[in-house]
Amino acid sequence: MPDCSENFEKEISDGKNARSIKCKYCNSVILTPLCASFSSFEFQLPLMKQTKNSEDNPEKETVSLFWAVTDMFTFQNVGFSNTVGTTKYLTCADCELGPIGYHDLSNKMSYVALTRVLHS
């Protein structure tokens, strides 16, 4: 699998987010600069836009670049879904679109997918 982090190099400063992280749809600030750590691993996130036929079995995509957040109170505007197994999905608290990432209940970490947010 190719490393896509080079597309986001300017967003990373000493392993942290160099700029604000915002919602792609409403431009609401989700994280302020330097409060999340860059992390790379694979995770299956449900697509942000599902077809009507996928309600019982949501379509997913593999995402591999994340901003890791250790404390849920670090977020400026984020919503948490109901629990699905050991996961809560993250949404923009203002427009409620998502998932932009997920919260892992087993390690209490939150992960925001770099490809599902804006950096500015």
Side-chain angles (χ1 to χ4, degrees):
M1 170 181 214
D3 179 14
C4 298
S5 60
E6 62 269 3
N7 295 338
F8 292 100
E9 275 184 8
K10 67 181 181 290
E11 305 307 337
I12 303 167
S13 174
D14 292 327
K16 302 270 188 188
N17 59 308
R19 302 189 294 167
S20 290
I21 298 167
K22 297 181 178 183
C23 175
K24 276 186 175 183
Y25 299 96
C26 72
N27 216 28
S28 179
V29 175
I30 295 167
L31 290 165
T32 56
L34 305 175
C35 67
S37 300
F38 178 74
S39 189
S40 179
F41 59 91
E42 289 188 352
F43 187 81
Q44 293 278 313
L45 271 180
L47 294 177
M48 291 183 80
K49 294 186 180 186
Q50 297 284 328
T51 62
K52 202 167 204 161
N53 298 336
S54 64
E55 284 181 17
D56 293 331
N57 191 16
E59 297 174 81
K60 296 182 179 183
E61 73 170 326
T62 301
V63 181
S64 60
L65 303 175
F66 295 93
W67 293 117
V69 178
T70 57
D71 183 351
M72 63 191 245
F73 295 107
T74 301
F75 289 106
Q76 300 298 304
N77 293 298
V78 77
F80 291 78
S81 73
N82 291 329
T83 304
V84 179
T86 61
T87 302
K88 288 182 178 275
Y89 294 106
L90 306 179
T91 64
C92 171
D94 286 343
C95 68
E96 298 182 353
L97 289 175
I100 59 170
Y102 73 101
H103 178 78
D104 186 338
L105 294 170
S106 64
N107 66 9
K108 300 193 182 347
M109 292 285 294
S110 297
Y111 302 94
V112 176
L114 272 70
T115 57
R116 296 198 177 184
V117 292
L118 295 175
H119 300 85
S120 64

